Amino acid sequence: MSRRKNKGRNVSGVLLLDKPQGFSSNHVLQKVKSLFGAAKAGHTGSLDPLATGMLPVCFGEATKISAFLLDSDKRYLLTCQLGVSTTTGDAEGEVIETTDVSSITEQDIKKVLPEFIGEIEQIPPMYSALKHNGERLYKLARQGIEVERKPRKITIYEIEFKSLIKDDQQRVFLELEVSCSKGTYVRTLVEDIAKKFHKGAHITALRRLSVGPYSGEMLTVDQLTALAEQGNKVLDGCLQPIDSGVANWPDVHLSADAAFYVKQGQAVMVPNAPTQGWVRIYDQDYFLGLGEIQDDGMVAPRRMIKQCA
């Protein structure tokens, strides 16, 4: 049996995509993969269709660092409506309860927010991609089935209060900026905050501002579509280098001899290297890939990069 070969360009790098609202992460991934004509691409953690913002897309050899970006810290700007609970915890669900929240003040909110800072436990929502006996929870939820979920430890580094707004329909909206660890469900976070007042809440707008080392300027699908008309060279110029995804890791720079052995898959001793953990490996200033410090102090190659730009 012959294997199908990937069709497309061998382009490598990380694209900081501004995901539009109303589309799945996979939908926009396939769109930009087609624009680049790339043979291989993957995103670094899904955003709900409702959400917008930072979605790093890894092309080619950069897919070797995608797991580390998936596990990295995130920052979100969110708006939630207080006093209204939905089946999904966001605006896409059906309203299941409405309560009066007109008496809640800015001071009330600011008073309870510190209770959520640090390592806390969070029960994942039924409308999530987690699995129970091999079945996605959201599929069970759509069948009206609810199963017990074990609390998971997450870390909230910062919650910045932005605004509390009451509109002319007497609806109350809370805007927050949240910095958190992987595995955090901001839908659950706002529900838990509202529970402090014995009320409900749901997300009405969610934007991811940063993923790991990446923040700031992103490119939209429309911008990339326009740039694609200028050719692949212009598009490729939009990509971040592969090692930017692990820019906060310690690095080791090898001599020519050490680099030779690392490229053969052998561990080497590097003067003044870290004593543990993962490192970025360079042949002088050329990025070779990722390594790990062994118990004997040697640097072992783990995920090496081919044809790194």
Side-chain angles (χ1 to χ4, degrees):
M1 180 183 293
S2 62
R3 294 182 179 179
R4 290 195 306 172
K5 294 183 179 179
N6 285 334
K7 295 181 179 180
R9 298 193 301 130
N10 291 321
V11 56
S12 292
V14 182
L15 173 69
L16 304 186
L17 178 67
D18 188 345
K19 189 192 92 63
Q21 186 175 1
F23 297 93
S24 71
S25 296
N26 186 62
H27 177 91
V28 293
L29 166 66
Q30 297 305 323
K31 175 66 175 177
V32 297
K33 181 182 178 183
S34 176
L35 286 173
F36 276 80
K40 187 177 183 180
H43 62 66
T44 54
S46 295
L47 278 172
D48 292 338
L50 169 75
T52 67
M54 181 73 72
L55 184 68
V57 175
C58 295
F59 290 100
E61 288 294 288
T63 56
K64 293 179 179 178
I65 68 164
S66 60
F68 301 109
L69 289 171
L70 179 64
D71 290 343
S72 64
D73 298 333
K74 316 291 193 302
R75 192 171 186 88
Y76 298 92
L77 178 64
L78 65 91
T79 302
C80 68
Q81 183 179 355
L82 297 177
V84 180
S85 300
T86 71
T87 52
T88 58
D90 61 26
E92 295 187 331
E94 297 178 3
V95 174
I96 53 179
E97 185 181 21
T98 301
T99 54
D100 180 27
V101 291
S102 59
S103 62
I104 296 178
T105 67
E106 178 178 326
Q107 289 69 31
D108 293 331
I109 297 294
K110 289 181 176 179
K111 186 176 180 180
V112 303
L113 291 183
E115 298 180 33
F116 295 91
I117 303 298
E119 186 178 79
I120 62 174
E121 287 193 336
Q122 189 179 74
I123 298 176
M126 276 300 301
Y127 279 88
S128 66
L130 297 178
K131 289 185 177 181
H132 175 77
N133 294 334
E135 190 77 18
R136 298 286 185 186
L137 288 182
Y138 66 81
K139 290 185 178 180
L140 295 175
R142 288 170 181 167
Q143 300 172 42
I145 301 173
E146 182 165 352
V147 298
E148 183 180 358
R149 288 95 65 204
K150 293 182 179 180
R152 304 198 310 176
K153 289 185 178 180
I154 56 146
T155 301
I156 305 295
Y157 302 107
E158 181 184 9
I159 304 179
E160 181 183 345
F161 176 88
K162 305 295 285 189
S163 67
L164 184 69
I165 299 173
K166 299 179 183 180
D167 66 12
D168 54 8
Q169 299 179 45
Q170 299 305 305
R171 297 179 302 179
V172 180
F173 294 92
L174 171 64
E175 186 180 41
L176 302 171
E177 194 166 314
V178 177
S179 179
C180 56
S181 67
K182 69 169 184 175
T184 300
Y185 288 94
V186 291
R187 287 176 288 156
T188 300
L189 177 63
V190 300
E191 288 176 333
D192 290 344
I193 290 172
K195 285 178 183 177
K196 290 292 181 178
F197 306 100
H198 306 287
K199 308 293 183 181
H202 72 278
I203 294 286
T204 58
L206 179 64
R207 182 166 179 78
R208 191 156 66 189
L209 303 176
S210 68
V211 174
Y214 297 125
S215 62
E217 187 174 352
M218 300 169 258
L219 290 168
T220 66
V221 173
D222 287 344
Q223 289 173 321
L224 291 167
T225 301
L227 291 172
E229 296 179 359
Q230 301 178 44
N232 291 335
K233 186 175 182 180
V234 174
L235 273 182
D236 293 354
C238 300
L239 299 179
Q240 305 291 318
I242 298 173
D243 56 344
S244 64
V246 287
N248 54 339
W249 288 21
D251 59 333
V252 294
H253 293 258
L254 309 181
S255 65
D257 287 342
F260 172 81
Y261 288 110
V262 163
K263 292 174 184 178
Q264 309 307 310
Q266 300 180 41
V268 297
M269 185 62 70
V270 181
N272 303 316
T275 56
Q276 62 181 359
W278 287 74
V279 294
R280 293 173 287 147
I281 302 177
Y282 293 85
D283 179 357
Q284 300 299 320
D285 293 324
Y286 185 84
F287 182 54
L288 294 179
L290 307 176
E292 189 174 15
I293 308 300
Q294 299 182 150
D295 292 340
D296 59 6
M298 299 184 77
V299 179
R302 294 289 186 243
R303 298 189 183 182
M304 304 305 287
I305 302 300
K306 297 178 182 178
Q307 301 178 350
C308 177

